[in-house]
Structures are given as C-alpha cells and as structure tokens.
Amino acid sequence: MSRGFRNSDETQALEEKATSEQINAILERDREQASHAADVRAHGHYGVCEDCGKPIGAERLEALPTATRCVRCQAEWEQTNRV
Ligand SMILES: [Zn+2]
C-alpha cells in the first residue's frame, strides 16, 4: 500500500466521522423543531410562517407537519443555520 492510499483512507475515516456528527446534529435539530412546532400549535399559530407571518402552504404542512416557516423563510433560515 502506498502512502497516498493510506492518506486517502484516513481522509475518508475523518469524513465518515464528520458525516455521523452531522447526522446527529440534524436529528437533534429535528427533535427541537418538532417540540417547537408543538409549542407553536399550542399557541394557535400553527400553519402560519413565524418569520413573515404568511400562511404556510397546506401541501408543505402535509409533507412536513413540523414546519413553522414557509418554504422561502425556511430556505433563508437554513442558509444562516447550516449544520
Ligand atoms: Zn415566511
């Protein structure tokens, strides 16, 4: 095995570790989002974007019941809160 291969194995191991950390962070964020969505629902704001105040599309809520932002605000939020 050449040195080059060894290095690439190590790089891959590091990448795999980063990936599982990212997955954990995403799962954690999903849990937080789910409890946040339950909170929003409890206050009667379910289905309204918490950033712009516009209604969240029914299709989006059906696909993602924990959504508390419209597609546009969610995309912006993800840009600034990237895991
Ligand atoms: Zn919005």
Side-chain angles (χ1 to χ4, degrees), residues 35-54:
S35 80
H36 176 61
D39 228 43
V40 167
R41 206 179 312 204
H43 289 92
H45 300 304
Y46 187 64
V48 177
C49 174
E50 62 183 326
D51 283 359
C52 70
K54 288 180 186 160

Side-chain angles (χ1 to χ4, degrees), residues 14-70:
L14 282 174
E15 276 170 8
E16 276 167 13
K17 186 168 179 284
T19 303
S20 79
E21 276 170 12
Q22 276 171 345
I23 289 168
N24 281 334
I26 289 165
L27 289 177
E28 176 66 21
R29 197 166 85 174
D30 281 354
R31 271 195 297 273
E32 281 173 13
Q33 178 61 27
S35 80
H36 176 61
D39 228 43
V40 167
R41 206 179 312 204
H43 289 92
H45 300 304
Y46 187 64
V48 177
C49 174
E50 62 183 326
D51 283 359
C52 70
K54 288 180 186 160
I56 302 170
E59 274 176 29
R60 174 162 166 75
L61 284 174
E62 208 169 295
L64 193 68
T66 60
T68 51
R69 289 180 185 86
C70 67

